[in-house]
Amino acid sequence: MPLNPLLRHLRGYRRESVLAPLFKMLEASFDLLVPLVMADIVNTGIAARDLRYILVRCGVLLALAFIGLACSLTAQYFSAKAAVGCATSLRHTLFAHIQSLGFAEMDQLGASTLITRMTSDVNQVQNGLNLFLRLFLRSPFVVAGAMVMAFTVNARAAWIFVVTIPLLSVVVFGIMAATRPMYKAVQGKLDRVMGLTRENLTGVRVVRAFGKEEEELARFEQANEELTGLQRKVGRISALMNPVTYVLVNLAIVALLYTGGIEIHAGRMAAGDVIALVNYMNQILVELVKLANLVVQISKGLACAGRVQAVLEVKPGMTYPDTAPTPDTAQPAVQFDHVGLTYAGAGAPSLSGLCFAAQPGQTIGVIGGTGSGKTSLVHLIPRFYDATEGQVRLFGQPVGSYPRADLRRTVRVVMQKAQLFSGTIRSNLLWGCPDATDQELWQALETPQAAEFVRKKPLGLDEPVEQGGRNLSGGQRQRLTIARALELAYATDAALRQALARLPGRPTLFIVSQRTASLQHADQILVLDDGHLVGVGTHDQLLASCPVYQEIYASQFQKGGQEK
């Protein structure tokens, strides 16, 4: 992921992003003084058996420790503030971008992938940024500072540092280069597990109804094993970092002790200087182990940041004009002119050659078997998808010439799946009109025959609604979402149609159903079969002339005309 998009979210935290590493380096500076104080205690205090000198130097060590702790806590505060703030901004940007995408882009990305990137991936970016601000400058600063301080102690022994540090760097950054693409693949496998989990949780009733528990368990176990196997592989490579760095550093310490013994014997070094050099080498070991773990976390963070950026780079496929056209009320309310629709990646068109017109005030029924294209047809009217062939017009104007807000005000859609949001009945109803009065809300409830059961609730409009409306029955959810699937009782269905016919403003209604009884009173019925319009007319006309409609009708009614 290019760093520029991520850095944009850090702009509000410039001060914290600078102060965090500065305080960490200040802490490191005090840590670098500790071996020199230790060497002074050995060379001067212990050699002269001066207890007072030793105690004073121990007090200096305590002071350095407390000052370093204060600097560390301050750095932690600033880094956490910057990382959490950046992640919050990134999550808001990602969510807003997802909201701007059309149905086609949402189909392409998939809900499970978007959930993973909104949660797990952004959290990994946050953790990686937090560690980066605290350690990425501190660790190299300590390593370089320890080497410089080693030269002040003994130049001959310090050359061991010059050899050891590049070798350690090759190990650390080599493993980083090997694991970064693998961590990206791990997140992809996590998407797969998330997708299967979501699919099974939302479709648990269907799975149990068809006795497919074992098959679904096998699918999940396979995906989980693939994820686990890849995690183990990348974990084994990452696990090499600590033992390899420990081996190299311990070999360097052996070389230091050997060189130090020679230098002490020659009188060019004191015993305390050897202790200082070993301490500096141990500091390098600790910092490189931290850096190794940091590299692993940053590798994860960069891989996840790239996945988040990939979503942000997906551009909405639809553009909307700023000015609305002038509708021609003499023209049909909705007109399809040789319209076809092929979904992205589909091998065949879902709709082909649709031609019909719906006049203002008419009720249009859409019927057909499963997969015939009923929902696809309706989704073209509010421009959830753009037609790939032909043109859809509203009052004589192409649907693409309307601004988004005007289009949403002109075309209202009741989705097939009843979906409520956590809150109250009132808050869900106010989605349609935020300024609606209670009288208007009750009037809206009358149309889908929902007012009666809402009045029976203890709190009425303020009755709580849980996520997805799970504390309501299926019929109640459907009526609160304006009978979304029209899977209502037939008496309620008839009442609904009568209430819709009485709505002011002569709205043109499209009713999608698989039941002929729901559509027989429509002014015009569209019969779809495999994406083609195979019949247009009234109920009686289609019974006389359309074989597909005759077949649907016959499957739902017995010979005596009674519904099955």
Side-chain angles (χ1 to χ4, degrees):
M1 172 185 181
L3 290 180
N4 286 341
L6 184 60
L7 293 177
R8 284 202 302 267
H9 299 282
L10 272 175
R11 286 177 181 172
Y13 302 93
R14 290 190 180 96
R15 182 171 63 93
E16 290 81 358
S17 301
V18 172
L19 290 177
L22 283 181
F23 273 97
K24 267 297 178 181
M25 287 190 287
L26 185 61
E27 176 206 2
S29 300
F30 291 113
D31 289 345
L32 290 173
L33 296 176
V34 170
L36 295 181
V37 178
M38 290 291 297
D40 194 32
I41 291 174
V42 174
N43 293 338
T44 304
I46 295 178
R49 298 183 180 181
D50 187 343
L51 182 59
R52 181 177 177 276
Y53 189 89
I54 294 173
L55 292 176
V56 170
R57 289 298 181 269
C58 287
V60 173
L61 291 176
L62 288 174
L64 291 174
F66 281 117
I67 296 172
L69 177 62
C71 293
S72 178
L73 293 175
T74 304
Q76 176 63 56
Y77 168 77
F78 286 125
S79 64
K81 184 177 180 180
V84 172
C86 177
T88 301
S89 175
L90 179 60
R91 197 177 285 111
H92 277 301
T93 300
L94 182 59
F95 186 78
H97 180 72
I98 291 172
Q99 292 295 318
S100 72
L101 298 178
F103 279 28
E105 291 78 34
M106 296 292 288
D107 293 342
Q108 174 190 349
L109 294 170
S112 59
T113 296
L114 295 176
I115 291 171
T116 303
R117 300 189 191 194
M118 281 281 296
T119 54
S120 175
D121 287 351
V122 175
N123 286 340
Q124 292 284 8
V125 172
Q126 176 182 317
N127 294 336
L129 181 59
N130 191 356
L131 290 174
F132 176 85
L133 292 175
R134 288 193 292 119
L135 298 178
F136 199 74
L137 291 181
R138 182 191 191 279
S139 294
F141 179 79
V142 170
V143 171
M147 184 173 66
V148 172
M149 298 300 287
F151 273 98
T152 65
V153 175
N154 185 278
R156 189 185 300 270
W159 281 103
I160 297 173
F161 288 79
V162 176
V163 175
T164 305
I165 290 173
L167 291 176
L168 291 170
S169 300
V170 169
V171 172
V172 170
F173 290 101
I175 292 178
M176 175 182 176
T179 56
R180 180 180 174 182
M182 298 179 70
Y183 281 118
K184 187 174 182 179
V186 165
Q187 291 300 117
K189 297 293 184 183
L190 182 61
D191 281 348
R192 172 65 174 162
V193 173
M194 177 74 76
L196 288 175
T197 303
R198 180 178 180 275
E199 187 177 44
N200 276 272
L201 290 177
T202 55
V204 62
R205 289 178 175 82
V206 177
V207 172
R208 291 180 179 178
F210 287 90
K212 292 292 185 179
E213 292 91 343
E214 294 299 325
E215 288 86 343
E216 292 303 312
L217 280 172
R219 288 178 65 205
F220 180 82
E221 287 175 1
Q222 180 182 356
N224 199 36
E225 282 298 322
E226 291 177 359
L227 172 62
T228 304
L230 189 56
Q231 285 178 321
R232 286 174 178 167
K233 183 178 179 181
V234 68
R236 283 193 292 267
I237 296 175
S238 298
L240 291 173
M241 195 172 293
N242 283 1
V244 172
T245 53
Y246 270 101
V247 167
L248 290 175
V249 169
N250 281 298
L251 288 174
I253 290 175
V254 170
L256 277 176
L257 294 175
Y258 176 77
T259 304
I262 295 175
E263 293 294 298
I264 291 173
H265 183 73
R268 293 189 293 267
M269 185 186 297
D273 295 338
V274 176
I275 294 175
L277 291 173
V278 172
N279 279 337
Y280 281 129
M281 187 59 72
N282 282 326
Q283 282 189 351
I284 291 175
L285 171 61
V286 170
E287 293 304 321
L288 284 174
V289 170
K290 288 181 182 179
L291 185 61
N293 294 325
L294 171 64
V295 165
V296 171
Q297 190 61 49
I298 288 179
S299 297
K300 292 181 181 179
L302 288 174
C304 293
R307 286 161 47 83
V308 172
Q309 182 63 21
V311 176
L312 294 174
E313 289 176 353
V314 175
K315 302 300 181 184
M318 297 180 182
T319 57
Y320 293 86
D322 296 327
T323 58
T326 302
D328 185 355
T329 55
Q331 294 290 328
V334 178
Q335 184 176 10
F336 276 52
D337 184 8
H338 296 90
V339 169
L341 173 65
T342 303
Y343 290 107
S350 298
L351 297 173
S352 298
L354 300 188
C355 293
F356 68 88
Q359 301 300 325
Q362 281 191 330
T363 297
I364 309 298
V366 184
I367 196 169
T370 301
S372 60
K374 303 185 298 295
T375 303
S376 298
L377 182 152
V378 174
H379 282 176
L380 291 174
I381 301 173
R383 205 185 170 204
F384 291 154
Y385 296 92
D386 272 333
T388 51
E389 296 178 4
Q391 195 172 70
V392 180
R393 299 188 183 94
L394 297 178
F395 295 103
Q397 303 295 335
V399 69
S401 65
Y402 286 83
R404 184 197 294 268
D406 288 5
L407 190 59
R408 297 294 176 261
R409 282 193 296 267
T410 303
V411 183
R412 298 298 178 95
V413 180
V414 179
M415 292 295 183
Q416 182 177 359
K417 181 181 178 182
Q419 178 65 54
L420 297 175
F421 294 86
S422 57
T424 63
I425 292 176
R426 182 193 305 276
S427 67
N428 276 273
L429 294 176
L430 289 176
W431 273 53
C433 181
D435 301 324
T437 63
D438 282 9
Q439 181 181 356
E440 291 170 333
L441 295 180
W442 284 112
Q443 184 178 356
L445 287 168
E446 293 288 350
T447 299
Q449 316 302 303
E452 181 180 355
F453 87 81
V454 174
R455 287 193 180 97
K456 293 179 180 178
K457 296 292 183 182
L459 299 178
L461 291 172
D462 295 313
E463 185 72 15
V465 175
E466 296 183 11
Q467 182 182 5
R470 59 174 178 260
N471 60 328
L472 301 173
S473 70
Q476 290 171 340
R477 287 198 302 270
Q478 288 167 339
R479 280 177 275 172
L480 281 179
T481 53
I482 319 298
R484 236 166 228 175
L486 284 182
E487 295 292 336
L488 306 174
Y490 284 96
T492 307
D493 187 18
L496 172 63
R497 285 187 279 103
Q498 292 172 7
L500 289 173
R502 293 193 298 268
L503 288 175
R506 297 181 65 214
T508 302
L509 302 177
F510 280 76
I511 301 177
V512 179
S513 179
Q514 290 182 324
R515 296 202 308 264
T516 56
S518 300
L519 306 178
Q520 60 185 348
H521 300 292
D523 299 305
Q524 189 177 186
I525 300 174
L526 310 177
V527 185
L528 294 177
D529 184 36
D530 195 24
H532 297 275
L533 189 61
V534 295
V536 180
T538 63
H539 172 72
D540 293 335
Q541 291 171 343
L542 292 171
L543 277 181
S545 62
C546 181
V548 174
Y549 191 79
Q550 294 168 358
E551 181 181 350
I552 296 173
Y553 182 83
S555 69
Q556 296 173 2
F557 288 84
Q558 298 174 345
K559 291 183 179 180
Q562 297 296 320
E563 187 170 353
K564 293 181 180 179

